Amino acid sequence: YESFRPTPNPFRDGMRMVDAVGGAGDRVSIRVYDVAGRLVRTLVNDFQPAGRHLATWDGVSEQGVRMKSGMYFIHARIGDDAKQVRVTILK
């Protein structure tokens, strides 16, 4: 699979990340964690067909709370392949 870095990074109001799924499609999981390893938000957790897909994060948690300025980690898993990238929220 091919995964692109979140842009913009750092961000204030939101970021986007494109993932590319090959073959006949695959299970995709994209989740955001804080520096303590706590799940902040699930962006994608579904089967996606082959092609490019857009995931976005507005800096808000699952509970609807705007996250504080700081560093967060995006864990992306497409099939058996996994990648982690850092993003930073600025206020």
Side-chain angles (χ1 to χ4, degrees), residues 1 26-29 77-82:
Y1 80 93
D26 225 327
R27 183 117 186 115
V28 177
S29 170
R77 178 174 290 282
I78 300 174
D80 293 329
D81 295 321

Side-chain angles (χ1 to χ4, degrees), residues 5-81:
R5 290 193 120 1
T7 57
N9 188 18
F11 70 94
R12 280 183 169 61
D13 299 317
M15 67 92 201
R16 63 196 169 280
M17 182 173 137
V18 175
D19 66 84
V21 179
D26 225 327
R27 183 117 186 115
V28 177
S29 170
I30 301 175
R31 292 184 166 101
V32 181
Y33 294 87
D34 65 15
V35 293
R38 294 178 294 238
L39 177 64
V40 171
R41 179 102 178 250
T42 298
L43 305 179
V44 178
N45 189 28
D46 204 0
F47 180 87
Q48 290 184 336
R52 290 182 181 216
H53 305 275
L54 179 66
T56 61
W57 184 40
D58 55 6
V60 174
S61 72
E62 298 277 10
Q63 294 77 29
V65 176
R66 176 87 176 139
M67 301 308 295
K68 296 179 182 179
S69 293
M71 187 173 20
Y72 296 85
F73 296 93
I74 298 179
H75 293 251
R77 178 174 290 282
I78 300 174
D80 293 329
D81 295 321

